[in-house]
Amino acid sequence: MVSFAVVGVVTLFAVNPADASPASPKYQQKSGPYVVRGVDSAADRNRVGGTGASIDSIENGAATVTATPDEARQIERLGFSISRTRTEGFPAADSGYHDYAEMQAELDRAAKAYPKIMQKLSLGKSYEGRDLPLIKISDNVAKDEDEPEILYDAHQHAREHLTVEMALYLVRMFTEGYGKDPRITRLVDTREIWIVPDMNPDGGEYDLTGGKYHDWRKNRQPVGGGYKGVDLNRNWGYKFACCNGSSSSLSSETYHGPQAFSAPETQRLRDFVLSRRVGGVQQIKAAIDFHTYSELILWPYGYTMNTTAAGLGSDQQKTFSALGHAFARSNGYTPEQSSSLYITDGSIIDWLWATQGVWAFTFEMYPNSPSKGGFYPPASVIDAQTARNRDASLTLAEYADCAYRVIGKQQLCATAPSPR
């Protein structure tokens, strides 16, 4: 039986699910099933069916098909994203984590429960055609108000599933706490809060294939030579591939891609951030990029060991450090400049600061050692380790109006504009 369903989605950017011509993956010699994304019209259905593949169901532009390997390759050559279906989620012991469908369902429930303060929007599509959800929380959520804006993003790296839980925690914190917790209520009333819960849904889903972990870090974009994946946090457009802080090897875990913003996922978030420039002024004032693991708070720059550099003067460095140490007092992480960990180039926080003047931090979450789970801590830690960042996340939002207040130089907010 073929089923059809249409679900409305609020979308900020229209995107093509096939953002690049995909290289052929190595299909196993089976008849399927596969999932084909971007099947949005009768013409699309006919093109897929014309290959000889059997269309088993269609829902929200995704078709489940039974196909031979040759038919699957034909579908891919037509420009559709195609991959094997997965019926398994997290391993049973870690079922407390949210896979992609469960995350979307929780976000949908929250948007329905709190329509006056929360909107579920979209950045656009991932390489394989999955929606990249974007959450807005504010007291007049349907209105673009002249208020400081904060960005929290998660899951640039596929195997770092705890960061999705962190984003979902923030959604619950700001919605469920509104009208009950004075601190949260004040922030929702005076800020516009943006949350990107899943920057890398393709990699995250692949990491769970077969109900077991695959230690996958990158996205799932074909890059040539039979390899897949760009490290999203080396694909940003400031000091891209400059300083031996990423790799040009297609097989490397830190492969930066052929050029800055070659990954659809980084393009989508970049375009959103740039859309928040109003009258030439960036409205997003502060940001946290959540990762795992090591229990660290990192700030720019990652590309150089120097504590000051172009666009990062002494007062700015002191402000980053003071904020980082303030966060650390509540979550117990170690605060340090990003390059103190190791040199990275093409990172999101360097781009956010150097090109947009956003006070941007990376939080490397629990644990602090491989012995406690490494990239795959047990689900039993989710509640404690996400709540651990409650105060730091709120503190960032409180300083978004004038970060220099943390060093007692609030006059700089008016006299010393951040880099653009």
Side-chain angles (χ1 to χ4, degrees), residues 9-25:
V9 179
V10 180
T11 306
L12 291 181
F13 305 104
V15 295
N16 186 342
D19 292 287
S21 297
S24 294

Side-chain angles (χ1 to χ4, degrees), residues 15 36 88 136 145 179 210 270 276 290 306 325 373 379 416:
V15 295
V36 181
E88 304 88 352
K136 182 184 180 184
E145 297 184 286
R270 173 203 63 188
R276 299 313 304 149
F290 287 103
N306 296 330
H325 282 81

Side-chain angles (χ1 to χ4, degrees), residues 110-119 136-143 145 175 178 188-189:
K112 184 176 181 180
Y114 300 98
K116 293 183 179 179
I117 62 169
M118 175 181 163
Q119 282 185 331
K136 182 184 180 184
I137 298 173
S138 190
D139 61 332
N140 295 308
V141 70
K143 187 177 179 181
E145 297 184 286
T175 55
Y178 184 68
V188 173
D189 284 345

Side-chain angles (χ1 to χ4, degrees), residues 50-385:
T51 66
S54 170
I55 299 178
D56 302 322
S57 67
I58 298 178
E59 186 172 1
N60 300 331
T64 302
V65 305
T66 302
T68 66
D70 181 66
E71 291 164 351
R73 293 187 188 95
Q74 291 182 55
I75 292 169
E76 188 177 53
R77 285 195 290 270
L78 289 172
F80 295 100
S81 169
I82 180 170
S83 58
R84 287 201 170 276
T85 58
R86 178 185 62 81
T87 57
E88 304 88 352
F90 280 89
D94 289 337
S95 60
Y97 282 91
H98 291 73
D99 65 15
Y100 179 75
E102 292 166 340
M103 173 200 70
Q104 290 279 42
E106 175 157 334
L107 295 174
D108 288 339
R109 285 192 294 270
K112 184 176 181 180
Y114 300 98
K116 293 183 179 179
I117 62 169
M118 175 181 163
Q119 282 185 331
K120 185 187 179 201
L121 308 169
S122 175
L123 292 175
K125 302 293 184 181
S126 68
Y127 176 79
E128 291 184 342
R130 292 181 176 88
D131 187 67
L132 301 172
L134 172 68
I135 302 305
K136 182 184 180 184
I137 298 173
S138 190
D139 61 332
N140 295 308
V141 70
K143 187 177 179 181
D144 188 2
E145 297 184 286
D146 184 17
E147 296 176 338
E149 301 181 15
I150 306 96
L151 172 66
Y152 305 94
D153 74 271
H155 206 214
Q156 286 204 78
H157 292 149
R159 61 195 175 192
E160 299 172 12
H161 301 284
L162 185 60
T163 65
V164 175
E165 305 306 317
M166 185 68 233
L168 292 175
Y169 171 86
L170 291 175
V171 171
R172 292 191 298 270
M173 178 185 77
F174 282 117
T175 55
E176 295 174 7
Y178 184 68
K180 300 174 183 177
D181 183 300
R183 189 181 185 190
I184 290 171
T185 302
R186 182 169 59 252
L187 287 171
V188 173
D189 284 345
T190 61
R191 303 287 189 266
E192 291 189 338
I193 298 158
W194 302 98
I195 301 172
V196 180
D198 195 346
M199 276 287 292
N200 191 359
D202 301 346
E205 290 294 276
Y206 174 78
D207 193 48
L208 306 175
T209 305
K212 60 182 180 181
Y213 297 125
H214 293 268
D215 200 32
W216 189 258
R217 172 183 171 95
K218 300 179 285 184
N219 75 350
R220 293 294 293 167
Q221 180 179 6
V223 295
Y227 294 104
K228 284 191 174 185
V230 170
D231 182 342
L232 298 183
N233 205 32
R234 301 295 184 275
N235 190 239
W236 291 80
Y238 183 73
K239 299 296 183 180
F240 173 80
C242 75
C243 309
N244 205 32
S246 58
S247 177
S248 61
S249 172
L250 300 178
S251 61
S252 172
E253 293 275 27
T254 60
Y255 174 56
H256 48 55
Q259 61 193 31
F261 300 115
S262 60
E265 297 84 358
T266 56
Q267 293 172 28
R268 304 295 173 256
L269 186 52
R270 173 203 63 188
D271 291 349
F272 167 69
V273 171
L274 294 179
S275 78
R276 299 313 304 149
R277 294 181 72 98
V278 178
V281 178
Q282 179 55 250
Q283 303 303 298
I284 298 173
K285 305 301 183 183
I288 297 177
D289 175 41
F290 287 103
H291 287 260
T292 67
Y293 61 98
S294 287
E295 298 186 2
L296 301 172
I297 297 167
L298 308 175
W299 57 82
Y301 286 125
Y303 79 90
T304 176
M305 296 296 294
N306 296 330
T307 56
T308 59
L312 182 62
S314 176
D315 284 331
Q316 295 161 332
Q317 187 277 331
K318 289 176 182 175
T319 300
F320 270 117
S321 179
L323 284 171
H325 282 81
F327 303 151
R329 284 193 287 273
S330 65
N331 65 13
Y333 292 3
T334 298
E336 60 188 20
Q337 183 176 323
S338 177
S339 57
S340 297
L341 182 60
Y342 47 74
I343 292 288
T344 60
D345 48 37
S347 72
I348 187 173
I349 64 170
D350 281 10
W351 181 83
L352 282 170
W353 172 253
T355 73
Q356 303 301 308
V358 177
W359 297 94
F361 294 83
T362 291
F363 278 30
E364 295 280 356
M365 296 178 66
Y366 178 93
N368 59 11
S369 71
S371 64
K372 295 179 181 178
F375 291 112
Y376 302 106
S380 59
V381 310
I382 291 173
D383 290 348
Q385 296 305 323

